[in-house]
Amino acid sequence: MNVLDYIKSHVTLLDGGMGTLLQERGLKPGEEPVIWNIKHPEVIIQLQKMYYDAGSNIVSTNTFGCNSLKFSKEELTQIIEAAVKNTKAAREASKGTQEKFIALNLGPCGKMLKPYGDLEFEDAVRLFAEVVNIGVKFGVDLIYIETMNDSYETKAALLAAKENSNLPVFVSNAYGEDSKLMTGATPEAMIAMLEAMGADAIGINCSYGPKVLKPIAEKYLKYASVPVILKANAGVPKVVKGETFFDVLPEEFSDDVAALVKSGVRICGGCCGTTPEYIKQLHEKAANLPIKAIRDKGRTVVSSYTHAVTFDEKPVLIGERINPTGKKRFKQALKANDLGYILNEGINQQEMGVHILDVNVGLPDIDEVAMMKKVTFELQAIIDLPLQIDTSNPAAMEAALRSYNGKALVNSVNGKEESMSAIFPLVKKYGGVVVALTLDDNGIPNTAEERVAIAEKILKRAEAYGIAKKDIIFDTLTMTISADNKSAMATLKALEYIRNKIGCHTSLGVSNISFGLPAREAVNSTFFANALERGLSAAIMNPFSAEMLQVYYAFIALNGMDEACTEYIDFMQNKLPKIREAVATLSGEPSNNIAFGKATPREVGNNSINQVQNSLSDELQKSIMKGLKDGARVQTKKLLETKAPLDIVNNDIVPALDKVGAGYEEKRIFLPQLLMSAEAAQSAFEEIKGYMSINQGKEENTSKCTCVVATVEGDIHDIGKNIVKLLLENYGFDVHDLGKDVKVDTIVEEVVKLHASVCGLSALMTTTVPAMEETIKALREKAPWCKVVVGGAVLNQEYADNIGSDKYAGDAMETVRYAEIVNKQ
């Protein structure tokens, strides 16, 4: 039986932990668990047979984290071949009568993807594709991607699995206590992206025990339209008398998971700390429970790398300013490759409260494919809003969709067969919600009835490509009333019918209605109000139009969509004055107080926020806080003409970093924003270093105490360590990075040689924590002055205390704060 057919009518059991069981059987600190597929196949077979005997339907190959960053192609093939062979042997030896399947296990590659790390997205896809191709060759039943804590790496792995096999693909992510991934994604964002890309089952694994993961599982059950996975840890690890154990025992674990199965979880098992006994008790309590039907939730939703935007009752605002149409300055920026100007357009619109950014870079005299990919990538590096990929060029659309981190809004498709055959396959492969224009080979119909007929044709063709009605938004096309005074009514009638009778969401580019007329804002805002009353779901609009926004916020307040009218009040008190100030500023001569270029009076709203900044210092701090590397570099260079380097560091750079750090600690911003701010600060520091090298002797050394950082022996996951390094350097510490998989003696020798005040140790895997403990013991003996900071996904305060560290850092900023204390001692 196919695993997907089995899941339709059965609660399906996964296996449990592997690393801790191998440690009990002699896995040495720092030793790669996957090597045991070849060195000790009998142990792997025995453990996997125990899981099958306990009732597991799906047992994963012992290939977690196995990739060509660690092994040569020949070694990789040998390991995966042995792993699949071992799991097959375990299945054959098991006397269990349940259906049994083998999953090829894919875990994180150990490196962070650009723009936050140094691994290219396509290189990550290639790494995962190598493993998939080998696993498929040797005969697995499905692919299970698990323990991913970054949405972008998750996408790379899923894309590799889908492009290189026809097997079912399951995906589960590792969430923190804040119910978000390390890089900020909410469950709703991951559900949107993974379902859109065709994952067959999605969910949660690792991190914590089932009680802590329950709220996240409930969100998956509420929003997901595919089977939900729960593979929790046996609680959190603790150390007593040198022995590691987990604090949730099999009976409690199985009770908690079975309760969630009753709520709808369809696929369940155990992660770190769980054993065959956990699976046995879970099988007894959950395997025969009646299943809850899995239904399509029918939600129209797009997402960024942090959150989802749902098209529901409340209309969605799509900022139109990243578009060259009618914008001379924007065209200049595209031709000059002036990304700073374009990024500022995005930031300004985000600050005015739009929900989605439209991205259109189509000009005849530039490479649209390359520019669309670049602008999409750079916008997502510093802005967490979903994007609307707006292009008529299928190649540009694919370039953007492939590298997009989330589920994009796609603008557009139309009723022409050539358009549907080019766009629908892209939407199906990469996921997205597509805007459909109600025009065809005969152009734009004059009547609402004809536009509705085109919409129905588009829906039928979309269904043939496997694209659901919920993922189509119709644009009934806004035509200027100065050319046809009946056109507005045709647009509105078609919109109302599609929204209320067909049941699809709608979108309009509102301002087209008034071309050629005086006092355009009066026409635009009135038409906007009419469209909202008829059921308009989304508007592409200028977020610096006071009239349009007053209509919007009044509408949501009047229609019960604004609790206590808070959004309306915020707009009137905070945003509206900024808009009016921008209009007043731009009514005269073009301002030159802009970070990345001059605006014309006609471009109301362009860089309005930057224009009200009063000094280069303010602009530098904003660039750092927003992650604008080029801006930070340019502004620092200008400041150095009149300001001492130390003053810039102490009065501009560090305060900006402190504000970002505080936002990160308070969970108001997420890791990607923290990293991009650090990169911007680094850009400013490079300018200062260059200035000081030319003017040597004029400035004293500003470095703080020496810090050594390393990922411990046996662990190649250096994401956390690299983040710590970057932030410590930004705060002026002298950082020596020893890399990953570093032997105990190497770390100790470096600390002693440098007389380092702080040593930061990182470990991601349970199996490598003993190497961390061994390193701490050696440092206590040979470098007793050194303060040891530890961090990593498998650690907690109690565990860190038990292995003798001075400080447990739950995130990178905690390391910085602690190093500041040590530096003052």
Side-chain angles (χ1 to χ4, degrees):
M1 180 184 286
N2 180 282
V3 66
L4 296 183
D5 290 333
Y6 184 81
I7 288 169
K8 288 176 183 176
S9 54
H10 297 82
V11 174
T12 304
L13 265 65
L14 302 167
D15 54 11
M18 177 62 74
T20 46
L21 296 179
L22 291 180
Q23 284 178 317
E24 291 173 3
R25 286 156 177 78
L27 181 73
K28 297 175 183 176
E31 187 178 7
E32 282 286 350
V34 297
I35 296 295
W36 277 44
N37 289 311
I38 296 171
K39 289 174 61 177
H40 304 289
E42 71 286 351
V43 176
I44 304 299
I45 293 169
Q46 177 201 29
L47 291 174
Q48 292 181 331
K49 176 182 178 296
M50 290 169 66
Y51 279 123
Y52 277 128
D53 288 345
S56 293
N57 300 109
I58 300 172
V59 169
S60 291
T61 56
N62 180 34
T63 52
F64 182 85
C66 187
N67 58 60
S68 59
L69 293 174
K70 301 179 187 178
F71 305 104
S72 69
K73 182 64 179 293
E74 182 179 354
E75 291 171 329
L76 196 64
T77 302
Q78 291 173 348
I79 291 168
I80 296 171
E81 180 182 12
V84 176
K85 182 180 178 182
N86 292 339
T87 313
K88 285 182 176 180
R91 178 170 63 178
E92 291 167 7
S94 172
K95 293 182 172 57
T97 59
Q98 77 276 21
E99 291 284 343
K100 304 185 188 77
F101 306 96
I102 296 173
L104 176 67
N105 191 251
L106 270 66
C109 68
K111 295 180 74 68
M112 206 163 187
L113 277 62
K114 289 184 176 180
Y116 316 119
D118 58 3
L119 183 64
E120 295 281 357
F121 177 77
E122 291 298 341
D123 288 339
V125 175
R126 177 185 54 79
L127 285 173
F128 291 117
E130 289 172 348
V131 178
V132 169
N133 280 315
I134 298 168
V136 170
K137 175 183 176 182
F138 292 113
V140 295
D141 302 307
L142 67 146
I143 297 164
Y144 183 22
I145 300 163
E146 67 172 335
T147 324
M148 294 288 182
N149 55 20
D150 171 35
S151 59
Y152 210 26
E153 185 177 16
T154 309
K155 175 171 180 172
L158 179 54
L159 191 59
K162 300 291 285 186
E163 287 186 332
N164 294 279
S165 82
N166 294 315
L167 296 175
V169 186
F170 295 179
V171 184
S172 62
N173 291 95
Y175 290 86
E177 283 186 285
D178 60 355
S179 296
K180 294 181 177 67
L181 300 190
M182 178 184 70
T183 47
T186 62
E188 294 91 331
M190 294 309 300
I191 291 165
M193 182 181 78
L194 296 175
E195 280 192 3
M197 289 183 65
D200 295 289
I202 59 177
I204 316 112
N205 81 289
C206 204
S207 305
Y208 302 99
K211 278 189 174 68
V212 178
L213 296 183
K214 180 183 176 183
I216 306 173
E218 289 172 340
K219 283 191 176 181
Y220 270 80
L221 293 172
K222 180 177 180 180
Y223 296 116
S225 299
V226 296
V228 171
I229 302 166
L230 176 62
K231 194 181 182 190
N233 284 353
V236 293
K238 297 178 181 293
V239 178
V240 176
K241 296 180 180 179
E243 295 293 323
T244 300
F245 73 97
F246 286 76
D247 63 358
V248 178
L249 299 178
E251 184 174 358
E252 180 186 356
F253 179 92
S254 55
D255 284 342
D256 291 341
V257 176
L260 285 164
V261 170
K262 291 177 183 177
S263 296
V265 167
R266 184 63 61 87
I267 304 165
C268 56
C271 204
C272 299
T274 60
T275 67
E277 180 60 27
Y278 284 74
I279 302 305
K280 179 175 180 292
Q281 292 199 31
L282 182 57
H283 178 267
E284 292 169 354
K285 296 172 183 176
N288 296 313
L289 288 172
I291 60 171
K292 291 192 71 170
I294 297 167
R295 60 181 182 84
D296 190 328
K297 305 304 190 296
R299 300 169 67 242
T300 300
V301 57
V302 296
S303 68
S304 67
Y305 69 88
T306 59
H307 68 282
V309 170
T310 303
F311 292 80
D312 201 353
E313 290 185 3
K314 188 173 181 179
V316 171
L317 298 180
I318 304 172
E320 69 175 10
R321 302 300 303 168
I322 302 178
N323 189 320
T325 304
K327 302 179 184 71
K328 182 179 178 181
R329 178 64 184 89
F330 194 88
K331 291 177 182 178
Q332 292 172 350
L334 287 175
K335 292 176 183 177
N337 197 31
D338 185 356
L339 282 179
Y341 180 90
I342 298 170
L343 296 179
N344 262 299
E345 283 286 3
I347 290 170
N348 294 341
Q349 292 182 95
Q350 182 180 38
E351 290 179 347
M352 295 314 297
V354 301
H355 308 109
I356 297 172
L357 291 179
D358 182 72
V359 182
N360 185 318
V361 296
L363 278 182
D365 41 3
I366 68 167
D367 182 346
E368 186 185 359
V369 175
M371 183 59 79
M372 178 62 87
K373 182 178 179 181
K374 188 173 188 178
V375 170
T376 300
F377 179 82
E378 294 292 343
L379 280 169
Q380 285 206 295
I382 64 167
I383 292 173
D384 69 349
L385 296 181
L387 303 182
Q388 174 170 267
I389 309 303
D390 186 356
T391 178
S392 58
N393 183 335
M397 185 177 290
E398 178 164 26
L401 286 176
R402 185 173 180 86
S403 60
Y404 182 78
N405 191 355
K407 181 183 181 183
L409 186 58
V410 179
N411 192 6
S412 59
V413 73
N414 60 56
K416 298 177 183 180
E417 181 56 39
E418 63 183 295
S419 174
M420 293 186 285
S421 62
I423 303 305
F424 281 148
L426 299 179
V427 175
K428 178 62 178 174
K429 178 176 181 178
Y430 297 109
V433 172
V434 63
V435 177
L437 311 181
T438 53
L439 64 86
D440 59 13
D441 293 303
N442 297 316
I444 302 172
N446 292 323
T447 69
E449 292 75 16
E450 290 172 299
R451 297 185 197 188
V452 169
I454 292 173
E456 290 171 335
K457 179 178 75 171
I458 291 172
L459 282 175
K460 188 174 181 180
R461 293 294 288 126
E463 185 180 7
Y465 282 95
I467 298 171
K469 186 169 83 169
K470 66 183 180 182
D471 286 327
I472 307 286
I473 292 177
F474 283 102
D475 184 337
T476 53
L477 299 167
T478 307
M479 308 298 292
T480 178
I481 56 170
S482 62
D484 177 3
N485 67 353
K486 304 292 186 185
S487 64
M489 293 311 299
T491 298
L492 295 173
K493 280 180 66 179
L495 182 151
E496 187 172 22
Y497 187 92
I498 289 170
R499 183 73 188 94
N500 298 322
K501 300 295 184 182
I502 294 179
C504 285
H505 287 283
T506 56
S507 175
L508 287 176
V510 178
S511 60
N512 295 345
I513 198 72
S514 63
F515 281 139
L517 295 174
R520 291 184 59 190
E521 289 297 331
V523 179
N524 291 347
S525 57
T526 303
F527 178 66
F528 186 32
N530 285 341
L532 289 170
E533 286 294 339
R534 304 268 186 139
L536 180 66
S537 307
I540 305 174
M541 48 79 71
N542 179 5
F544 293 93
S545 167
E547 291 86 348
M548 291 271 285
L549 287 177
Q550 286 179 99
V551 166
Y552 175 79
Y553 286 105
F555 177 84
I556 63 172
L558 288 166
N559 285 272
M561 303 173 192
D562 183 3
E563 188 72 28
C565 297
T566 53
E567 291 188 62
Y568 177 82
I569 294 168
D570 175 66
F571 169 75
M572 297 302 292
Q573 292 183 342
N574 300 313
K575 294 188 178 72
L576 187 58
K578 289 182 180 179
I579 293 172
R580 287 178 172 158
E581 185 176 1
V583 172
T585 301
L586 291 168
S587 62
E589 289 299 312
S591 170
N592 60 5
N593 187 27
I594 304 174
F596 300 102
K598 297 179 181 179
T600 65
R602 294 172 61 89
E603 291 184 279
V604 175
N606 284 5
N607 290 290
S608 61
I609 307 302
N610 283 329
Q611 289 183 9
V612 300
Q613 299 294 344
N614 296 319
S615 68
L616 279 171
S617 292
D618 291 337
E619 290 177 4
L620 174 57
Q621 289 197 36
K622 180 181 177 182
S623 288
I624 291 172
M625 292 169 68
K626 295 296 181 182
L628 296 170
K629 292 181 284 187
D630 289 345
R633 177 182 54 78
V634 169
Q635 290 140 9
T636 301
K637 190 172 184 178
K638 289 180 180 178
L639 277 171
L640 284 167
E641 296 173 5
T642 58
K643 200 169 184 178
L646 273 178
D647 288 342
I648 297 173
V649 171
N650 294 329
N651 300 330
D652 300 323
I653 298 176
V654 172
L657 285 170
D658 281 341
K659 289 175 184 176
V660 175
Y664 178 69
E665 290 168 327
E666 294 164 9
K667 307 297 183 184
R668 290 185 286 105
I669 69 170
F670 306 109
L671 180 62
Q673 295 155 291
L674 178 71
L675 293 179
M676 295 313 296
S677 292
E679 291 282 359
Q682 192 71 23
S683 180
F685 277 124
E686 290 302 321
E687 280 296 324
I688 290 172
K689 288 177 183 177
Y691 176 91
M692 292 175 68
S693 68
I694 296 171
N695 299 275
Q696 276 187 340
K698 296 184 179 180
E699 296 289 346
E700 60 182 295
N701 184 3
T702 62
S703 289
K704 298 175 182 176
C705 68
T706 299
C707 304
V708 172
V709 295
T711 301
V712 298
E713 186 175 3
D715 204 319
I716 61 102
H717 299 85
D718 61 354
I719 292 173
K721 181 263 298 175
N722 290 345
I723 295 168
V724 168
K725 173 193 174 186
L726 178 63
L727 291 181
L728 284 171
E729 287 177 338
N730 271 277
Y731 275 83
F733 291 92
D734 179 22
V735 184
H736 294 255
D737 181 6
L738 300 182
K740 57 196 177 187
D741 190 15
V742 186
K743 294 183 180 300
V744 174
D745 290 346
T746 303
I747 296 172
V748 173
E749 287 170 9
E750 188 75 358
V751 168
V752 171
K753 181 178 77 173
L754 299 171
H755 201 78
S757 301
V758 176
C759 180
L761 301 177
S762 175
L764 179 74
M765 301 184 296
T766 306
T767 53
T768 57
V769 175
M772 181 180 279
E773 184 176 9
E774 188 179 339
T775 305
I776 293 171
K777 288 179 180 177
L779 285 169
R780 293 288 179 247
E781 181 182 343
K782 298 184 179 179
W785 66 86
C786 183
K787 300 297 184 182
V788 183
V789 185
V790 299
V794 295
L795 295 175
N796 54 45
Q797 184 67 59
E798 184 177 352
Y799 206 126
D801 291 341
N802 283 326
I803 62 176
S805 71
D806 295 291
K807 170 68 177 176
Y808 163 66
D811 57 51
M813 282 306 303
E814 282 194 50
T815 304
V816 173
R817 304 296 186 216
Y818 184 72
E820 292 277 20
I821 294 170
V822 174
N823 185 65
K824 292 175 182 177
Q825 292 176 346

